[in-house]
Amino acid sequence: MTPERLRAFCLEFNASVEEFPFGPETSVFKVLGKMFALTALDARPLTVNLKCDPDEAIRLRGVHPAAVTPGWHMNKRHWNTVTVSGVPDKLLREMIEDSYDLVVAGLPKADRLRLDRP
């Protein structure tokens, strides 16, 4: 997946926005003010930090040890750093969607309903 496709996919979700709170080189994708993905789109290799269920995070690290590692500068229990070229695009898309869904699940019910994600 290219940086452009990664950005476009993250922005496809309801109410998702791209912000730069850590400087112009770091894209932070948020839903209603809560981060679900963080990446430096011009970095090589391209990596993205994604929120993950703790048990699933451990499983993914075991299955893809070279591409999925504990979240760099993040809570290592709840975040993974994923090397984009190291996983199939379909899996990466699923991981991004799971990250978005986990963040949305923590929002108030009224916000979840507004996003069509009860």
PDB file of all heavy atoms in Angstrom, residues 37-53:
ATOM      1  N   ALA A  37      -4.989   6.086  14.117  1.00  0.00           N
ATOM      2  CA  ALA A  37      -3.807   5.738  13.315  1.00  0.00           C
ATOM      3  C   ALA A  37      -2.818   6.898  13.354  1.00  0.00           C
ATOM      4  O   ALA A  37      -3.221   8.057  13.376  1.00  0.00           O
ATOM      5  CB  ALA A  37      -4.204   5.425  11.877  1.00  0.00           C
ATOM      6  N   LEU A  38      -1.534   6.544  13.356  1.00  0.00           N
ATOM      7  CA  LEU A  38      -0.470   7.538  13.377  1.00  0.00           C
ATOM      8  C   LEU A  38       0.633   7.046  12.455  1.00  0.00           C
ATOM      9  O   LEU A  38       1.037   5.883  12.536  1.00  0.00           O
ATOM     10  CB  LEU A  38       0.048   7.680  14.816  1.00  0.00           C
ATOM     11  CG  LEU A  38       1.222   8.603  15.025  1.00  0.00           C
ATOM     12  CD1 LEU A  38       0.959   9.491  16.232  1.00  0.00           C
ATOM     13  CD2 LEU A  38       2.495   7.832  15.230  1.00  0.00           C
ATOM     14  N   THR A  39       1.104   7.933  11.556  1.00  0.00           N
ATOM     15  CA  THR A  39       2.133   7.528  10.599  1.00  0.00           C
ATOM     16  C   THR A  39       2.921   8.735  10.102  1.00  0.00           C
ATOM     17  O   THR A  39       2.419   9.857  10.090  1.00  0.00           O
ATOM     18  CB  THR A  39       1.498   6.791   9.395  1.00  0.00           C
ATOM     19  OG1 THR A  39       2.539   6.336   8.528  1.00  0.00           O
ATOM     20  CG2 THR A  39       0.540   7.669   8.623  1.00  0.00           C
ATOM     21  N   ALA A  40       4.139   8.472   9.693  1.00  0.00           N
ATOM     22  CA  ALA A  40       4.928   9.454   8.945  1.00  0.00           C
ATOM     23  C   ALA A  40       4.872   8.974   7.498  1.00  0.00           C
ATOM     24  O   ALA A  40       5.561   8.026   7.121  1.00  0.00           O
ATOM     25  CB  ALA A  40       6.359   9.519   9.455  1.00  0.00           C
ATOM     26  N   LEU A  41       4.031   9.589   6.700  1.00  0.00           N
ATOM     27  CA  LEU A  41       3.753   9.092   5.350  1.00  0.00           C
ATOM     28  C   LEU A  41       4.961   9.130   4.419  1.00  0.00           C
ATOM     29  O   LEU A  41       4.977   8.432   3.410  1.00  0.00           O
ATOM     30  CB  LEU A  41       2.581   9.869   4.736  1.00  0.00           C
ATOM     31  CG  LEU A  41       1.225   9.572   5.385  1.00  0.00           C
ATOM     32  CD1 LEU A  41       0.181  10.575   4.914  1.00  0.00           C
ATOM     33  CD2 LEU A  41       0.780   8.153   5.081  1.00  0.00           C
ATOM     34  N   ASP A  42       5.985   9.911   4.764  1.00  0.00           N
ATOM     35  CA  ASP A  42       7.171   9.948   3.898  1.00  0.00           C
ATOM     36  C   ASP A  42       8.307   9.071   4.430  1.00  0.00           C
ATOM     37  O   ASP A  42       9.392   9.045   3.867  1.00  0.00           O
ATOM     38  CB  ASP A  42       7.650  11.386   3.707  1.00  0.00           C
ATOM     39  CG  ASP A  42       8.013  12.075   5.006  1.00  0.00           C
ATOM     40  OD1 ASP A  42       7.752  11.507   6.098  1.00  0.00           O
ATOM     41  OD2 ASP A  42       8.551  13.197   4.958  1.00  0.00           O
ATOM     42  N   ALA A  43       8.054   8.320   5.498  1.00  0.00           N
ATOM     43  CA  ALA A  43       9.084   7.459   6.093  1.00  0.00           C
ATOM     44  C   ALA A  43       9.308   6.218   5.231  1.00  0.00           C
ATOM     45  O   ALA A  43       8.408   5.728   4.564  1.00  0.00           O
ATOM     46  CB  ALA A  43       8.683   7.048   7.496  1.00  0.00           C
ATOM     47  N   ARG A  44      10.522   5.726   5.254  1.00  0.00           N
ATOM     48  CA  ARG A  44      10.857   4.477   4.575  1.00  0.00           C
ATOM     49  C   ARG A  44      11.590   3.600   5.567  1.00  0.00           C
ATOM     50  O   ARG A  44      12.636   4.016   6.059  1.00  0.00           O
ATOM     51  CB  ARG A  44      11.724   4.730   3.337  1.00  0.00           C
ATOM     52  CG  ARG A  44      11.034   5.576   2.277  1.00  0.00           C
ATOM     53  CD  ARG A  44       9.801   4.886   1.694  1.00  0.00           C
ATOM     54  NE  ARG A  44       9.070   5.753   0.782  1.00  0.00           N
ATOM     55  CZ  ARG A  44       7.982   6.458   1.102  1.00  0.00           C
ATOM     56  NH1 ARG A  44       7.485   6.404   2.305  1.00  0.00           N
ATOM     57  NH2 ARG A  44       7.389   7.211   0.207  1.00  0.00           N
ATOM     58  N   PRO A  45      11.113   2.435   5.916  1.00  0.00           N
ATOM     59  CA  PRO A  45       9.864   1.872   5.429  1.00  0.00           C
ATOM     60  C   PRO A  45       8.652   2.595   6.035  1.00  0.00           C
ATOM     61  O   PRO A  45       8.734   3.171   7.123  1.00  0.00           O
ATOM     62  CB  PRO A  45       9.910   0.409   5.901  1.00  0.00           C
ATOM     63  CG  PRO A  45      10.722   0.454   7.145  1.00  0.00           C
ATOM     64  CD  PRO A  45      11.747   1.551   6.908  1.00  0.00           C
ATOM     65  N   LEU A  46       7.552   2.509   5.325  1.00  0.00           N
ATOM     66  CA  LEU A  46       6.307   3.111   5.790  1.00  0.00           C
ATOM     67  C   LEU A  46       5.726   2.255   6.911  1.00  0.00           C
ATOM     68  O   LEU A  46       5.546   1.053   6.748  1.00  0.00           O
ATOM     69  CB  LEU A  46       5.314   3.211   4.623  1.00  0.00           C
ATOM     70  CG  LEU A  46       3.928   3.774   4.939  1.00  0.00           C
ATOM     71  CD1 LEU A  46       4.029   5.193   5.478  1.00  0.00           C
ATOM     72  CD2 LEU A  46       3.050   3.731   3.691  1.00  0.00           C
ATOM     73  N   THR A  47       5.479   2.883   8.062  1.00  0.00           N
ATOM     74  CA  THR A  47       4.867   2.188   9.188  1.00  0.00           C
ATOM     75  C   THR A  47       3.650   2.976   9.647  1.00  0.00           C
ATOM     76  O   THR A  47       3.535   4.177   9.375  1.00  0.00           O
ATOM     77  CB  THR A  47       5.841   2.020  10.373  1.00  0.00           C
ATOM     78  OG1 THR A  47       6.218   3.305  10.856  1.00  0.00           O
ATOM     79  CG2 THR A  47       7.073   1.217   9.979  1.00  0.00           C
ATOM     80  N   VAL A  48       2.772   2.297  10.368  1.00  0.00           N
ATOM     81  CA  VAL A  48       1.596   2.950  10.928  1.00  0.00           C
ATOM     82  C   VAL A  48       1.322   2.340  12.299  1.00  0.00           C
ATOM     83  O   VAL A  48       1.424   1.127  12.475  1.00  0.00           O
ATOM     84  CB  VAL A  48       0.368   2.830   9.984  1.00  0.00           C
ATOM     85  CG1 VAL A  48      -0.010   1.391   9.716  1.00  0.00           C
ATOM     86  CG2 VAL A  48      -0.815   3.613  10.518  1.00  0.00           C
ATOM     87  N   ASN A  49       1.037   3.190  13.268  1.00  0.00           N
ATOM     88  CA  ASN A  49       0.637   2.735  14.597  1.00  0.00           C
ATOM     89  C   ASN A  49      -0.872   2.599  14.613  1.00  0.00           C
ATOM     90  O   ASN A  49      -1.588   3.539  14.226  1.00  0.00           O
ATOM     91  CB  ASN A  49       1.068   3.727  15.676  1.00  0.00           C
ATOM     92  CG  ASN A  49       2.540   3.660  15.986  1.00  0.00           C
ATOM     93  OD1 ASN A  49       3.279   2.892  15.385  1.00  0.00           O
ATOM     94  ND2 ASN A  49       2.970   4.467  16.931  1.00  0.00           N
ATOM     95  N   LEU A  50      -1.357   1.432  15.077  1.00  0.00           N
ATOM     96  CA  LEU A  50      -2.782   1.148  15.089  1.00  0.00           C
ATOM     97  C   LEU A  50      -3.199   0.575  16.435  1.00  0.00           C
ATOM     98  O   LEU A  50      -2.487  -0.259  17.009  1.00  0.00           O
ATOM     99  CB  LEU A  50      -3.140   0.137  13.994  1.00  0.00           C
ATOM    100  CG  LEU A  50      -2.835   0.564  12.564  1.00  0.00           C
ATOM    101  CD1 LEU A  50      -2.989  -0.614  11.618  1.00  0.00           C
ATOM    102  CD2 LEU A  50      -3.751   1.715  12.161  1.00  0.00           C
ATOM    103  N   LYS A  51      -4.348   1.003  16.902  1.00  0.00           N
ATOM    104  CA  LYS A  51      -4.900   0.466  18.136  1.00  0.00           C
ATOM    105  C   LYS A  51      -5.343  -0.973  17.868  1.00  0.00           C
ATOM    106  O   LYS A  51      -5.778  -1.306  16.763  1.00  0.00           O
ATOM    107  CB  LYS A  51      -6.081   1.312  18.598  1.00  0.00           C
ATOM    108  CG  LYS A  51      -6.551   0.967  19.978  1.00  0.00           C
ATOM    109  CD  LYS A  51      -7.428   2.051  20.552  1.00  0.00           C
ATOM    110  CE  LYS A  51      -7.730   1.686  21.989  1.00  0.00           C
ATOM    111  NZ  LYS A  51      -7.712   2.809  22.856  1.00  0.00           N
ATOM    112  N   CYS A  52      -5.240  -1.826  18.892  1.00  0.00           N
ATOM    113  CA  CYS A  52      -5.548  -3.234  18.698  1.00  0.00           C
ATOM    114  C   CYS A  52      -6.001  -3.846  20.021  1.00  0.00           C
ATOM    115  O   CYS A  52      -5.506  -3.471  21.089  1.00  0.00           O
ATOM    116  CB  CYS A  52      -4.301  -3.956  18.184  1.00  0.00           C
ATOM    117  SG  CYS A  52      -4.621  -5.594  17.522  1.00  0.00           S
ATOM    118  N   ASP A  53      -6.936  -4.789  19.943  1.00  0.00           N
ATOM    119  CA  ASP A  53      -7.307  -5.569  21.117  1.00  0.00           C
ATOM    120  C   ASP A  53      -6.038  -6.243  21.641  1.00  0.00           C
ATOM    121  O   ASP A  53      -5.257  -6.782  20.841  1.00  0.00           O
ATOM    122  CB  ASP A  53      -8.349  -6.613  20.716  1.00  0.00           C
ATOM    123  CG  ASP A  53      -8.604  -7.598  21.818  1.00  0.00           C
ATOM    124  OD1 ASP A  53      -9.355  -7.263  22.752  1.00  0.00           O
ATOM    125  OD2 ASP A  53      -8.028  -8.713  21.753  1.00  0.00           O
TER     126      ASP A  53
END
